Structures are given as structure tokens and as C-alpha cells.
Amino acid sequence: VSGCADQNPPNNAFTPGTYCGGLTIHGNGNYTFAPGLYTLLGGGFTASGSPSFTGNGVTFYNTFDTSHAYGGISLHGTVTTSFSAPTDSSNGGVPGILFFQDRRVPVGAAASDFGGNNDQVYTGALYFPTTLISYKGTPGLESYTIMVGWKLEFRGTVVIDDYLLLPGGVGPIQSAFMAE
């Protein structure tokens, strides 16, 4: 890591970079994320209150090191989100990947919680191979969301539509299903 990005950017406009200690946002306000790769070095991404997040073409890489303990993703309640993964790598993000957990994270470490109301939309893969993904309430899974988790927990009014198309072509999965 060559440096840490500003956790409180002007006008709440985040730019790709490494966020040491992750991201923690409390209260209200509109926050935008420019296209690209956001490295969450320890701490994950936590939001409380009623913030609104928008980010098209973003990838969040959730990792840790000896100075920054791993933390999960906690976006629930009255948080409004509209996050979509990149469709190409032109801005440094990973095509199709919205959240990617470092594979070195120990099994059973801090869970990630995506939940709340239908004002939350996540478009792209949620990849947490060694931790729990908790999906609660009625947040939106778009037509090309893939969830990979050590464990998956669904609570509330969960609707998962058929997986139809990736941008620009046919998707590899033609209907909603769960595999182990």
C-alpha cells in the first residue's frame, strides 16, 4: 500500500484507491463512487443512518494486513444503494465483480450483511468464499448477481429473479439456483 485515500472526500465524492481501516459512514448524505477499484484495507465497509450511495462500474476489494484487521461489509437498514460492477477493466475495476473478499481471510471471520429495504440494489458478483453473506429484508438483486459465500443466510422477503444476461451477452447461469 503506497498511501491511504481520504475517508472524508470533498462533496462526498469518493475516488478509487486504498482505504486504510475500510469505510465507515454515519448519518445522512449522498455519496458517489467514481468507477474503479476500491481497496478496503481492514475494517470493511459499514454504514449507519440514512446515507445514499451511488457507484457504477465499481469493485470493492475487501482485505487486511498485520496492521489492519479484517472487517465485513455492513450495509443495511435505511441505507440507499445503487452499486453496479464494471463491464470492462478500463477504470481498474474487475468486470462483473462488485464485492471481492481476499481469499486469505480465515473461515468464519466477520460476516457481511446486505439488507434492508428495496432501495438497495447490488448488480454484480458478491464473492465471500470464507465468510457468511447475510441477505435480509428486501434489497434488490439484479439480473446478473452471483453470490459466493462460505455460508449464505436469507431472511425476510427475499426474491431472486432468474439470472438471464450479462451486459453484452448471455449469462452462464440461465435460472436461479443454489449449489453446494
Side-chain angles (χ1 to χ4, degrees):
V1 176
S2 60
C4 298
D6 184 0
Q7 299 254 348
N8 299 299
N11 301 317
N12 296 334
F14 288 90
T15 57
T18 299
Y19 290 83
C20 299
L23 287 172
T24 301
I25 298 173
H26 300 291
N28 303 326
N30 295 316
Y31 299 85
T32 58
F33 292 79
L37 178 63
Y38 293 80
T39 300
L40 306 174
L41 180 60
F45 187 167
T46 301
S48 63
S50 299
S52 177
F53 301 123
T54 302
N56 295 314
V58 297
T59 297
F60 295 94
Y61 176 60
N62 199 17
T63 188
F64 67 102
D65 66 13
T66 56
S67 300
H68 302 88
Y70 178 77
I73 308 298
S74 182
L75 303 174
H76 56 84
T78 56
V79 175
T80 300
T81 59
S82 179
F83 284 139
S84 65
T87 57
D88 61 42
S89 59
S90 62
N91 290 309
V94 181
I97 305 293
L98 185 57
F99 286 93
F100 188 96
Q101 174 208 291
D102 185 336
R103 292 180 181 120
R104 298 175 302 132
V105 172
V107 170
S112 290
D113 182 13
F114 298 88
N117 57 41
N118 59 3
D119 289 332
Q120 293 186 9
V121 177
Y122 304 102
T123 306
L126 309 178
Y127 181 80
F128 296 87
T130 62
T131 60
L132 169 71
I133 298 175
S134 181
Y135 184 79
K136 301 174 187 174
T138 58
L141 284 178
E142 289 296 304
S143 61
Y144 67 100
T145 298
I146 295 174
M147 298 171 77
V148 175
W150 175 60
K151 290 183 179 181
L152 299 174
E153 176 184 58
F154 298 98
R155 291 186 184 195
T157 306
V158 177
V159 176
I160 300 174
D161 292 325
D162 283 352
Y163 180 98
L164 301 174
L165 298 174
L166 287 170
V170 176
I173 301 169
Q174 298 300 312
S175 64
F177 72 92
M178 182 175 278
E180 182 176 10

